[in-house]
Short mmCIF file of all heavy atoms in Angstrom, two decimals:
data_model
loop_
_atom_site.label_atom_id
_atom_site.label_comp_id
_atom_site.label_asym_id
_atom_site.label_seq_id
_atom_site.Cartn_x
_atom_site.Cartn_y
_atom_site.Cartn_z
N MET A 176 109.39 60.84 132.68
CA MET A 176 108.62 61.43 131.54
C MET A 176 107.87 60.30 130.82
O MET A 176 106.70 60.56 130.43
CB MET A 176 109.67 62.11 130.62
CG MET A 176 108.97 62.79 129.49
SD MET A 176 108.04 64.26 130.04
CE MET A 176 107.47 64.79 128.59
N LEU A 177 108.52 59.19 130.60
CA LEU A 177 107.81 58.08 129.97
C LEU A 177 106.64 57.54 130.82
O LEU A 177 105.61 57.13 130.20
CB LEU A 177 108.80 56.95 129.70
CG LEU A 177 108.25 55.69 128.95
CD1 LEU A 177 107.79 56.12 127.58
CD2 LEU A 177 109.29 54.62 128.89
N LYS A 178 106.83 57.60 132.10
CA LYS A 178 105.79 57.13 133.07
C LYS A 178 104.50 58.00 132.86
O LYS A 178 103.39 57.46 132.82
CB LYS A 178 106.28 57.20 134.39
CG LYS A 178 105.67 56.36 135.39
CD LYS A 178 106.40 56.37 136.71
CE LYS A 178 106.00 55.21 137.52
NZ LYS A 178 106.66 55.24 138.86
N ILE A 179 104.73 59.31 132.74
CA ILE A 179 103.59 60.26 132.59
C ILE A 179 102.86 60.01 131.29
O ILE A 179 101.64 59.96 131.19
CB ILE A 179 104.05 61.67 132.77
CG1 ILE A 179 104.58 61.97 134.16
CG2 ILE A 179 102.93 62.64 132.40
CD1 ILE A 179 105.27 63.22 134.32
N ILE A 180 103.65 59.83 130.22
CA ILE A 180 103.05 59.60 128.93
C ILE A 180 102.23 58.32 128.83
O ILE A 180 101.13 58.31 128.37
CB ILE A 180 104.21 59.64 127.82
CG1 ILE A 180 104.77 60.99 127.69
CG2 ILE A 180 103.62 59.19 126.45
CD1 ILE A 180 106.02 61.07 126.83
N LEU A 181 102.77 57.28 129.43
CA LEU A 181 102.08 55.95 129.47
C LEU A 181 100.82 56.07 130.33
O LEU A 181 99.82 55.47 130.00
CB LEU A 181 102.94 54.86 129.95
CG LEU A 181 104.02 54.36 128.92
CD1 LEU A 181 104.91 53.33 129.58
CD2 LEU A 181 103.33 53.84 127.67
N THR A 182 100.87 56.82 131.38
CA THR A 182 99.71 57.01 132.26
C THR A 182 98.64 57.71 131.50
O THR A 182 97.43 57.43 131.52
CB THR A 182 100.06 57.69 133.59
OG1 THR A 182 101.04 56.96 134.21
CG2 THR A 182 98.87 57.83 134.44
N VAL A 183 99.01 58.86 130.86
CA VAL A 183 97.97 59.63 130.05
C VAL A 183 97.42 58.80 128.88
O VAL A 183 96.19 58.81 128.69
CB VAL A 183 98.65 60.94 129.53
CG1 VAL A 183 97.75 61.62 128.54
CG2 VAL A 183 98.97 61.85 130.62
N PHE A 184 98.28 58.00 128.27
CA PHE A 184 97.81 57.11 127.16
C PHE A 184 96.82 56.07 127.73
O PHE A 184 95.81 55.76 127.08
CB PHE A 184 99.05 56.45 126.53
CG PHE A 184 98.71 55.64 125.30
CD1 PHE A 184 98.19 56.25 124.19
CD2 PHE A 184 98.90 54.29 125.26
CE1 PHE A 184 97.87 55.49 123.05
CE2 PHE A 184 98.63 53.55 124.15
CZ PHE A 184 98.12 54.16 123.02
N GLY A 185 97.10 55.53 128.89
CA GLY A 185 96.24 54.56 129.61
C GLY A 185 94.83 55.16 129.92
O GLY A 185 93.82 54.62 129.74
N VAL A 186 94.87 56.47 130.33
CA VAL A 186 93.65 57.16 130.74
C VAL A 186 92.80 57.38 129.42
O VAL A 186 91.63 57.22 129.47
CB VAL A 186 93.94 58.47 131.41
CG1 VAL A 186 92.70 59.31 131.54
CG2 VAL A 186 94.50 58.21 132.80
N VAL A 187 93.43 57.82 128.36
CA VAL A 187 92.73 58.02 127.09
C VAL A 187 92.15 56.69 126.60
O VAL A 187 91.03 56.72 126.10
CB VAL A 187 93.69 58.67 126.04
CG1 VAL A 187 93.05 58.73 124.67
CG2 VAL A 187 94.07 60.09 126.52
N ILE A 188 92.88 55.63 126.62
CA ILE A 188 92.37 54.37 126.18
C ILE A 188 91.17 53.90 127.01
O ILE A 188 90.13 53.46 126.50
CB ILE A 188 93.49 53.28 126.16
CG1 ILE A 188 94.48 53.53 125.02
CG2 ILE A 188 92.88 51.89 125.99
CD1 ILE A 188 95.59 52.64 125.04
N ALA A 189 91.29 54.01 128.37
CA ALA A 189 90.21 53.68 129.25
C ALA A 189 88.96 54.54 128.95
O ALA A 189 87.81 54.08 129.04
CB ALA A 189 90.66 53.74 130.73
N LEU A 190 89.19 55.79 128.74
CA LEU A 190 88.10 56.70 128.44
C LEU A 190 87.39 56.32 127.13
O LEU A 190 86.12 56.36 127.09
CB LEU A 190 88.60 58.17 128.33
CG LEU A 190 87.54 59.25 128.10
CD1 LEU A 190 86.58 59.36 129.21
CD2 LEU A 190 88.24 60.61 127.85
N LEU A 191 88.18 56.04 126.16
CA LEU A 191 87.52 55.58 124.90
C LEU A 191 86.72 54.35 125.09
O LEU A 191 85.64 54.12 124.49
CB LEU A 191 88.59 55.48 123.80
CG LEU A 191 89.21 56.71 123.24
CD1 LEU A 191 90.31 56.39 122.30
CD2 LEU A 191 88.15 57.56 122.54
N GLY A 192 87.25 53.43 125.80
CA GLY A 192 86.58 52.14 126.08
C GLY A 192 85.29 52.36 126.84
O GLY A 192 84.27 51.76 126.54
N THR A 193 85.31 53.27 127.81
CA THR A 193 84.04 53.55 128.51
C THR A 193 83.01 54.21 127.67
O THR A 193 81.83 53.90 127.71
CB THR A 193 84.43 54.49 129.74
OG1 THR A 193 85.44 53.92 130.51
CG2 THR A 193 83.17 54.74 130.58
N ILE A 194 83.43 55.11 126.80
CA ILE A 194 82.50 55.74 125.87
C ILE A 194 81.91 54.70 124.93
O ILE A 194 80.71 54.71 124.63
CB ILE A 194 83.23 56.89 125.09
CG1 ILE A 194 83.45 58.06 126.04
CG2 ILE A 194 82.34 57.34 123.92
CD1 ILE A 194 84.40 59.14 125.43
N MET A 195 82.75 53.76 124.45
CA MET A 195 82.22 52.72 123.56
C MET A 195 81.22 51.84 124.27
O MET A 195 80.21 51.40 123.66
CB MET A 195 83.39 51.89 123.04
CG MET A 195 84.20 52.60 122.02
SD MET A 195 85.54 51.61 121.43
CE MET A 195 84.68 50.41 120.39
N VAL A 196 81.38 51.57 125.57
CA VAL A 196 80.48 50.72 126.27
C VAL A 196 79.10 51.43 126.48
O VAL A 196 78.08 50.82 126.27
CB VAL A 196 81.06 50.23 127.65
CG1 VAL A 196 79.99 49.69 128.51
CG2 VAL A 196 82.19 49.29 127.40
N PHE A 197 79.16 52.65 126.92
CA PHE A 197 77.94 53.40 127.23
C PHE A 197 77.18 53.90 125.98
O PHE A 197 75.96 54.04 126.09
CB PHE A 197 78.21 54.51 128.20
CG PHE A 197 78.41 53.97 129.60
CD1 PHE A 197 79.67 54.06 130.18
CD2 PHE A 197 77.42 53.39 130.29
CE1 PHE A 197 79.89 53.59 131.44
CE2 PHE A 197 77.61 52.92 131.64
CZ PHE A 197 78.90 52.96 132.18
N ASP A 198 77.87 54.24 124.91
CA ASP A 198 77.23 54.82 123.72
C ASP A 198 77.26 53.88 122.54
O ASP A 198 77.33 54.26 121.43
CB ASP A 198 77.90 56.16 123.38
CG ASP A 198 77.63 57.23 124.37
OD1 ASP A 198 76.67 57.12 125.07
OD2 ASP A 198 78.39 58.21 124.38
N ALA A 199 77.26 52.55 122.80
CA ALA A 199 77.40 51.58 121.73
C ALA A 199 76.22 51.68 120.74
O ALA A 199 76.41 51.60 119.59
CB ALA A 199 77.53 50.15 122.29
N ARG A 200 75.03 51.82 121.22
CA ARG A 200 73.88 51.86 120.38
C ARG A 200 73.92 53.05 119.44
O ARG A 200 73.66 53.03 118.28
CB ARG A 200 72.60 51.86 121.26
CG ARG A 200 71.28 51.93 120.45
CD ARG A 200 70.94 50.62 119.78
NE ARG A 200 70.84 49.54 120.69
CZ ARG A 200 70.64 48.22 120.30
NH1 ARG A 200 70.56 48.01 119.03
NH2 ARG A 200 70.59 47.28 121.17
N TYR A 201 74.21 54.25 120.05
CA TYR A 201 74.33 55.46 119.29
C TYR A 201 75.48 55.42 118.22
O TYR A 201 75.27 55.82 117.08
CB TYR A 201 74.56 56.64 120.22
CG TYR A 201 74.81 57.93 119.46
CD1 TYR A 201 73.77 58.66 118.81
CD2 TYR A 201 76.11 58.49 119.48
CE1 TYR A 201 74.00 59.82 118.18
CE2 TYR A 201 76.37 59.69 118.80
CZ TYR A 201 75.30 60.33 118.16
OH TYR A 201 75.59 61.51 117.49
N LEU A 202 76.62 54.87 118.65
CA LEU A 202 77.76 54.76 117.72
C LEU A 202 77.40 53.79 116.63
O LEU A 202 77.82 54.01 115.46
CB LEU A 202 79.04 54.31 118.47
CG LEU A 202 79.62 55.33 119.39
CD1 LEU A 202 80.72 54.71 120.29
CD2 LEU A 202 80.14 56.52 118.67
N THR A 203 76.74 52.72 116.89
CA THR A 203 76.33 51.74 115.89
C THR A 203 75.45 52.36 114.83
O THR A 203 75.61 52.23 113.61
CB THR A 203 75.66 50.54 116.52
OG1 THR A 203 76.51 49.99 117.46
CG2 THR A 203 75.35 49.50 115.43
N LYS A 204 74.43 53.14 115.32
CA LYS A 204 73.54 53.82 114.33
C LYS A 204 74.30 54.86 113.50
O LYS A 204 73.92 55.04 112.32
CB LYS A 204 72.43 54.46 115.11
CG LYS A 204 71.40 53.50 115.64
CD LYS A 204 70.28 54.28 116.38
CE LYS A 204 69.33 53.30 117.07
NZ LYS A 204 68.29 54.02 117.83
N LYS A 205 75.25 55.54 114.13
CA LYS A 205 75.92 56.65 113.39
C LYS A 205 76.98 56.09 112.46
O LYS A 205 77.09 56.59 111.35
CB LYS A 205 76.54 57.57 114.40
CG LYS A 205 77.24 58.70 113.86
CD LYS A 205 77.79 59.63 114.97
CE LYS A 205 78.47 60.81 114.34
NZ LYS A 205 79.10 61.66 115.39
N LEU A 206 77.70 55.06 112.79
CA LEU A 206 78.86 54.61 112.01
C LEU A 206 78.46 53.51 110.96
O LEU A 206 79.13 53.45 109.91
CB LEU A 206 79.92 54.10 112.85
CG LEU A 206 80.56 55.12 113.84
CD1 LEU A 206 81.57 54.49 114.75
CD2 LEU A 206 81.23 56.28 113.06
N PHE A 207 77.55 52.69 111.35
CA PHE A 207 77.26 51.55 110.45
C PHE A 207 75.82 51.67 109.88
O PHE A 207 74.94 52.20 110.56
CB PHE A 207 77.33 50.21 111.25
CG PHE A 207 78.72 50.03 111.84
CD1 PHE A 207 78.82 49.98 113.22
CD2 PHE A 207 79.83 49.89 111.08
CE1 PHE A 207 80.03 49.81 113.84
CE2 PHE A 207 81.07 49.70 111.65
CZ PHE A 207 81.18 49.65 113.01
N SER A 208 75.65 51.15 108.74
CA SER A 208 74.30 51.28 108.03
C SER A 208 73.63 49.97 107.81
O SER A 208 72.62 49.94 107.16
CB SER A 208 74.46 52.10 106.79
OG SER A 208 75.23 51.42 105.86
N PHE A 209 74.23 48.87 108.27
CA PHE A 209 73.70 47.57 107.98
C PHE A 209 72.51 47.30 109.01
O PHE A 209 72.44 47.98 110.03
CB PHE A 209 74.70 46.48 107.97
CG PHE A 209 75.47 46.35 109.18
CD1 PHE A 209 75.08 45.62 110.28
CD2 PHE A 209 76.71 46.96 109.23
CE1 PHE A 209 75.88 45.50 111.37
CE2 PHE A 209 77.48 46.89 110.35
CZ PHE A 209 77.06 46.16 111.47
N GLY A 210 71.72 46.28 108.72
CA GLY A 210 70.52 46.04 109.46
C GLY A 210 70.67 45.46 110.79
O GLY A 210 69.90 45.84 111.70
N ASP A 211 71.63 44.57 111.04
CA ASP A 211 71.65 43.87 112.36
C ASP A 211 72.53 44.72 113.32
O ASP A 211 73.70 44.51 113.44
CB ASP A 211 72.26 42.50 112.16
CG ASP A 211 71.98 41.59 113.30
OD1 ASP A 211 71.18 41.94 114.17
OD2 ASP A 211 72.60 40.51 113.37
N GLN A 212 71.87 45.62 114.06
CA GLN A 212 72.60 46.50 114.94
C GLN A 212 72.82 45.82 116.31
O GLN A 212 73.71 46.29 117.00
CB GLN A 212 71.81 47.80 115.09
CG GLN A 212 71.82 48.61 113.89
CD GLN A 212 71.06 49.89 114.08
OE1 GLN A 212 70.41 50.10 115.10
NE2 GLN A 212 71.21 50.82 113.09
N ASN A 213 72.10 44.79 116.60
CA ASN A 213 72.25 44.20 117.95
C ASN A 213 73.68 43.49 118.01
O ASN A 213 74.35 43.63 118.99
CB ASN A 213 71.19 43.10 118.18
CG ASN A 213 69.88 43.83 118.46
OD1 ASN A 213 69.79 44.92 118.95
ND2 ASN A 213 68.80 43.10 118.15
N GLU A 214 74.10 42.86 116.97
CA GLU A 214 75.41 42.15 116.97
C GLU A 214 76.57 43.28 117.03
O GLU A 214 77.54 43.05 117.70
CB GLU A 214 75.54 41.28 115.82
CG GLU A 214 74.72 39.99 115.93
CD GLU A 214 74.98 39.08 114.78
OE1 GLU A 214 75.97 39.18 114.10
OE2 GLU A 214 74.11 38.19 114.60
N ALA A 215 76.36 44.31 116.20
CA ALA A 215 77.35 45.34 116.25
C ALA A 215 77.43 46.03 117.56
O ALA A 215 78.52 46.40 117.98
CB ALA A 215 77.03 46.32 115.06
N THR A 216 76.32 46.23 118.21
CA THR A 216 76.32 46.90 119.55
C THR A 216 77.01 46.08 120.49
O THR A 216 77.83 46.55 121.31
CB THR A 216 74.82 47.18 119.96
OG1 THR A 216 74.28 47.94 119.03
CG2 THR A 216 74.83 47.86 121.31
N SER A 217 76.71 44.76 120.57
CA SER A 217 77.40 43.89 121.51
C SER A 217 78.91 43.79 121.17
O SER A 217 79.76 43.72 122.08
CB SER A 217 76.79 42.51 121.53
OG SER A 217 76.86 41.86 120.32
N GLY A 218 79.26 43.82 119.89
CA GLY A 218 80.67 43.81 119.55
C GLY A 218 81.38 45.07 120.01
O GLY A 218 82.56 45.01 120.54
N LEU A 219 80.81 46.22 119.89
CA LEU A 219 81.33 47.51 120.36
C LEU A 219 81.46 47.45 121.89
O LEU A 219 82.45 47.94 122.44
CB LEU A 219 80.58 48.67 119.91
CG LEU A 219 80.83 49.18 118.52
CD1 LEU A 219 79.93 50.38 118.22
CD2 LEU A 219 82.23 49.60 118.33
N LYS A 220 80.47 46.87 122.55
CA LYS A 220 80.59 46.85 124.06
C LYS A 220 81.74 45.94 124.48
O LYS A 220 82.51 46.25 125.42
CB LYS A 220 79.28 46.32 124.61
CG LYS A 220 78.21 47.40 124.55
CD LYS A 220 76.93 46.95 125.26
CE LYS A 220 75.93 48.08 125.27
NZ LYS A 220 74.77 47.81 126.09
N ILE A 221 81.90 44.79 123.79
CA ILE A 221 83.04 43.92 124.15
C ILE A 221 84.38 44.56 123.84
O ILE A 221 85.25 44.49 124.68
CB ILE A 221 82.86 42.60 123.39
CG1 ILE A 221 81.61 41.82 123.89
CG2 ILE A 221 84.10 41.74 123.52
CD1 ILE A 221 81.23 40.64 123.01
N LEU A 222 84.48 45.27 122.71
CA LEU A 222 85.70 45.93 122.39
C LEU A 222 85.99 47.01 123.41
O LEU A 222 87.11 47.24 123.87
CB LEU A 222 85.63 46.54 120.99
CG LEU A 222 86.88 47.28 120.51
CD1 LEU A 222 88.07 46.35 120.34
CD2 LEU A 222 86.55 47.96 119.12
N GLY A 223 84.96 47.75 123.85
CA GLY A 223 85.14 48.87 124.83
C GLY A 223 85.53 48.23 126.18
O GLY A 223 86.39 48.82 126.85
N PHE A 224 85.10 47.06 126.51
CA PHE A 224 85.36 46.48 127.74
C PHE A 224 86.88 46.11 127.71
O PHE A 224 87.64 46.28 128.71
CB PHE A 224 84.55 45.24 127.99
CG PHE A 224 84.90 44.46 129.22
CD1 PHE A 224 84.62 45.03 130.46
CD2 PHE A 224 85.49 43.20 129.15
CE1 PHE A 224 84.93 44.28 131.62
CE2 PHE A 224 85.81 42.55 130.29
CZ PHE A 224 85.50 43.04 131.53
N PHE A 225 87.36 45.49 126.66
CA PHE A 225 88.82 45.19 126.55
C PHE A 225 89.67 46.42 126.51
O PHE A 225 90.74 46.39 127.09
CB PHE A 225 89.05 44.36 125.27
CG PHE A 225 88.59 42.92 125.45
CD1 PHE A 225 87.75 42.34 124.45
CD2 PHE A 225 88.91 42.12 126.50
CE1 PHE A 225 87.37 40.99 124.58
CE2 PHE A 225 88.48 40.81 126.67
CZ PHE A 225 87.75 40.24 125.70
N LEU A 226 89.21 47.47 125.91
CA LEU A 226 89.99 48.73 125.97
C LEU A 226 90.04 49.27 127.46
O LEU A 226 91.08 49.84 127.82
CB LEU A 226 89.37 49.76 125.01
CG LEU A 226 89.57 49.56 123.56
CD1 LEU A 226 88.86 50.62 122.71
CD2 LEU A 226 91.13 49.60 123.23
N ASP A 227 88.93 49.12 128.14
CA ASP A 227 88.96 49.54 129.55
C ASP A 227 89.98 48.75 130.35
O ASP A 227 90.76 49.32 131.12
CB ASP A 227 87.59 49.35 130.26
CG ASP A 227 86.62 50.45 129.85
OD1 ASP A 227 87.13 51.54 129.52
OD2 ASP A 227 85.40 50.20 129.95
N ILE A 228 90.02 47.46 130.12
CA ILE A 228 91.00 46.62 130.83
C ILE A 228 92.48 47.00 130.44
O ILE A 228 93.33 47.14 131.35
CB ILE A 228 90.75 45.14 130.55
CG1 ILE A 228 89.47 44.70 131.15
CG2 ILE A 228 91.92 44.25 131.00
CD1 ILE A 228 89.03 43.37 130.77
N ILE A 229 92.71 47.20 129.17
CA ILE A 229 94.08 47.62 128.71
C ILE A 229 94.50 48.94 129.35
O ILE A 229 95.61 49.10 129.84
CB ILE A 229 94.10 47.58 127.18
CG1 ILE A 229 94.04 46.21 126.66
CG2 ILE A 229 95.41 48.29 126.72
CD1 ILE A 229 93.85 46.14 125.15
N GLY A 230 93.56 49.91 129.30
CA GLY A 230 93.85 51.20 129.86
C GLY A 230 94.10 51.16 131.32
O GLY A 230 95.02 51.79 131.88
N ALA A 231 93.28 50.33 132.08
CA ALA A 231 93.44 50.22 133.50
C ALA A 231 94.78 49.54 133.83
O ALA A 231 95.45 49.90 134.82
CB ALA A 231 92.32 49.43 134.12
N LEU A 232 95.19 48.58 133.04
CA LEU A 232 96.49 47.90 133.33
C LEU A 232 97.65 48.78 133.03
O LEU A 232 98.68 48.80 133.70
CB LEU A 232 96.60 46.63 132.42
CG LEU A 232 95.70 45.46 132.84
CD1 LEU A 232 95.79 44.29 131.84
CD2 LEU A 232 96.13 44.94 134.26
N LEU A 233 97.55 49.62 132.02
CA LEU A 233 98.56 50.63 131.78
C LEU A 233 98.70 51.59 132.97
O LEU A 233 99.84 51.95 133.37
CB LEU A 233 98.30 51.43 130.50
CG LEU A 233 98.80 50.76 129.15
CD1 LEU A 233 98.25 51.61 128.01
CD2 LEU A 233 100.23 50.77 129.12
N ILE A 234 97.60 52.04 133.44
CA ILE A 234 97.61 52.98 134.59
C ILE A 234 98.17 52.28 135.82
O ILE A 234 98.99 52.77 136.56
CB ILE A 234 96.19 53.51 134.88
CG1 ILE A 234 95.75 54.33 133.70
CG2 ILE A 234 96.13 54.41 136.19
CD1 ILE A 234 94.33 54.75 133.76
N TYR A 235 97.72 51.03 136.06
CA TYR A 235 98.14 50.29 137.28
C TYR A 235 99.57 50.01 137.26
O TYR A 235 100.23 50.16 138.38
CB TYR A 235 97.31 49.00 137.37
CG TYR A 235 97.68 48.12 138.58
CD1 TYR A 235 97.19 48.58 139.81
CD2 TYR A 235 98.47 47.02 138.43
CE1 TYR A 235 97.55 47.80 140.95
CE2 TYR A 235 98.75 46.25 139.52
CZ TYR A 235 98.32 46.62 140.81
OH TYR A 235 98.64 45.91 141.86
N PHE A 236 100.19 49.58 136.23
CA PHE A 236 101.56 49.14 136.14
C PHE A 236 102.53 50.32 136.11
O PHE A 236 103.77 50.15 136.19
CB PHE A 236 101.83 48.09 135.09
CG PHE A 236 101.26 46.73 135.41
CD1 PHE A 236 100.35 46.22 134.64
CD2 PHE A 236 101.74 46.11 136.55
CE1 PHE A 236 99.81 44.94 134.98
CE2 PHE A 236 101.25 44.84 136.89
CZ PHE A 236 100.30 44.33 136.15
N ASN A 237 101.99 51.54 135.88
CA ASN A 237 102.89 52.73 135.89
C ASN A 237 103.05 53.30 137.23
O ASN A 237 103.89 54.21 137.37
CB ASN A 237 102.31 53.81 134.86
CG ASN A 237 102.72 53.48 133.47
OD1 ASN A 237 103.83 52.98 133.24
ND2 ASN A 237 101.84 53.72 132.56
N PHE A 238 102.23 52.90 138.26
CA PHE A 238 102.37 53.48 139.60
C PHE A 238 103.20 52.57 140.46
O PHE A 238 103.45 51.63 140.48
CB PHE A 238 101.01 53.78 140.19
CG PHE A 238 100.37 55.02 139.61
CD1 PHE A 238 99.18 54.91 138.93
CD2 PHE A 238 100.93 56.29 139.88
CE1 PHE A 238 98.61 56.03 138.44
CE2 PHE A 238 100.43 57.39 139.37
CZ PHE A 238 99.22 57.30 138.69
#
């Protein structure tokens, strides 16, 4: 049961990371109102990449 929960949690984390990478520009415009959106966009992409790695590791080590 714990294995299934951790796998689903890993899939959700990887999905959120992928959404952050691909929609970083849109999320930056929607969530933040400051002027320098390029730095915030690259920061969201880096954070999404790390979330992808964490989610993939959770999925990998549960099988």
Side-chain angles (χ1 to χ4, degrees):
M176 184 68 178
L177 181 64
K178 203 173 198 183
I179 294 170
I180 292 171
L181 286 176
T182 303
V183 170
F184 189 63
V186 168
V187 170
I188 288 177
L190 180 66
L191 288 175
T193 304
I194 289 171
M195 286 178 76
V196 168
F197 284 111
D198 292 338
R200 179 73 58 187
Y201 173 74
L202 290 172
T203 304
K204 287 181 183 177
K205 185 177 178 183
L206 297 175
F207 304 114
S208 62
F209 55 87
D211 196 13
Q212 290 182 350
N213 289 332
E214 289 183 17
T216 301
S217 61
L219 277 178
K220 286 186 178 189
I221 292 170
L222 180 64
F224 178 72
F225 284 130
L226 285 177
D227 280 337
I228 291 173
I229 291 169
L232 288 175
L233 274 173
I234 295 167
Y235 179 76
F236 285 118
N237 278 324
F238 284 115

